[in-house]
Amino acid sequence: MKGLKRIQLFEFEDFEWFPGWLRSCMTRLIVILQSMIRTDQAIAVLIARVYKEKGIMPIVDLGSGAGGMMPDVLGLLKKQGYDSATLLMTDLYPNEQAIAKFNGKEDPSVRYSEQSVDATNMRQSPEGLKTMMNSFHHMRPEQAKKILASAKDARTPLLIYEMGENKMPLFIWWLFLPLSLLILMIMVLFMTPFVKPMTWQQLIFTYLIPIIPICYAWDGQASMPRMYALKDIDILLEDLHGNDYKWEHGAALKPDGKKQGTYILGLPVN
């Protein structure tokens, strides 16, 4: 797709051959990072806006992987008075460990679907507010366009959130890449003790054989130029506007007004 700032770099976790246990170890680190910068607050603000406009509905998270931040987001929403809010996590390839973890709890408001759910075919997905948290940048432009078009065609609410923003010029990104990789690798060493659940793989492949820091650092840096810049989103949405569905996108805000990431919000017009 012409005119996009985004570039298609690889991330290790995108490869089918990448071991599932290693992907889970990296996901746990991402959850720690999101907890540190409180992305759950910015996401909860956005979902609360949808609830105020459209009423409370089930949250159907797409591409949930091992779970991510959405259970924490649901907890914040309940503290704000949205007691009837529920969360259904889904994935094209459901995570068996996450299914056992969340479906084994007594809390019926949080569940993980055992059925495969395709984000590009929202007519076949469960009803509710569809969310995509820090996963949209993994989609190639053709896939990204298809996801947005699917939401519009199905007239289902869609909230996409990325905890970063693609603003840095590409040559600057390349220039500082070695230093950025080193910083992220060092960060992993300090974040790992806070990982839950802790596994022997997490420890050994962090401190003795540093595969996790290397893969985490590269994926973290590669995700930045892969994110769709705000002008990129304009290009993706240029022929998806209509009287029966509205789009907006911009910087996400925490309750205190500070910026934290970017979002795309699509809502059907009643």
Side-chain angles (χ1 to χ4, degrees):
M1 193 174 294
K2 295 181 179 180
L4 296 181
K5 182 178 187 291
R6 175 192 186 270
I7 61 173
Q8 183 63 37
L9 295 176
F10 77 89
E11 291 183 47
F12 286 109
E13 62 177 315
D14 287 342
F15 294 120
E16 292 185 8
W17 54 260
F18 198 67
W21 64 265
L22 185 51
R23 183 179 288 107
S24 295
C25 287
M26 291 171 60
T27 299
R28 295 184 193 111
L29 287 168
I30 295 172
V31 171
I32 294 295
L33 177 62
Q34 292 184 89
S35 297
M36 290 170 57
I37 62 177
R38 297 306 307 268
T39 60
D40 56 336
Q41 293 182 346
I43 297 167
V45 167
L46 290 165
I47 294 178
R49 281 184 49 201
V50 176
Y51 282 173
K52 290 175 183 177
E53 181 171 343
K54 296 294 182 180
I56 299 176
M57 65 187 81
I59 301 169
V60 181
D61 190 50
L62 305 171
S64 298
M69 288 295 297
M70 288 309 293
D72 291 337
V73 172
L74 184 69
L76 283 179
L77 291 169
K78 288 183 178 294
K79 289 180 180 179
Q80 295 173 22
Y82 300 105
D83 297 327
S84 60
T86 61
L87 169 64
L88 177 65
M89 291 173 282
T90 73
D91 204 280
L92 186 62
Y93 304 104
N95 185 294
E96 293 183 2
Q97 291 181 338
I99 291 172
K101 174 183 176 182
F102 292 104
N103 294 1
K105 290 185 176 181
E106 296 182 358
D107 185 2
S109 66
V110 180
R111 285 291 180 265
Y112 199 114
S113 175
E114 298 182 24
Q115 306 300 316
S116 175
V117 175
D118 185 356
T120 65
N121 187 5
M122 294 194 191
R123 288 187 181 276
Q124 300 298 319
S125 61
E127 293 186 2
L129 167 62
K130 308 302 188 300
T131 61
M132 291 188 70
M133 300 292 112
N134 299 303
S135 59
F136 195 61
H137 68 274
H138 291 278
M139 307 300 164
R140 292 179 179 272
E142 297 76 15
Q143 293 175 298
K145 182 89 172 183
K146 193 172 182 179
I147 289 169
L148 298 172
S150 179
K152 180 179 182 295
D153 292 342
R155 302 195 74 247
T156 187
L158 172 64
L159 172 62
I160 294 170
Y161 175 82
E162 294 280 2
M163 65 181 186
E165 185 176 352
N166 186 357
K167 297 191 299 184
M168 184 182 298
L170 187 58
F171 79 94
I172 296 292
W173 180 85
W174 282 113
L175 181 64
F176 285 95
L177 180 60
L179 177 61
S180 301
L181 291 173
L182 178 60
I183 291 173
L184 283 180
M185 290 173 64
I186 294 173
M187 284 179 59
V188 170
L189 304 180
F190 289 97
M191 290 193 297
T192 296
F194 300 98
V195 166
K196 295 179 181 180
M198 181 61 71
T199 64
W200 65 267
Q201 294 101 325
Q202 192 95 39
L203 291 171
I204 288 182
F205 291 100
T206 295
Y207 296 109
L208 296 182
I209 307 172
I211 294 176
I212 293 174
I214 292 171
C215 293
Y216 176 88
W218 171 257
D219 280 13
Q221 280 303 298
S223 67
M224 296 306 295
R226 294 182 82 190
M227 290 181 184
Y228 290 92
L230 295 180
K231 290 184 178 179
D232 293 344
I233 297 170
D234 287 330
I235 295 173
L236 292 175
L237 294 174
E238 60 186 1
D239 59 347
L240 294 180
H241 298 280
N243 295 327
D244 62 341
Y245 201 88
K246 64 179 182 179
W247 296 98
E248 66 173 78
H249 63 278
L253 303 176
K254 292 182 178 181
D256 60 6
K258 293 182 179 179
K259 294 182 180 180
Q260 182 62 68
T262 59
Y263 75 96
I264 306 172
L265 178 62
L267 294 173
V269 177
N270 295 333

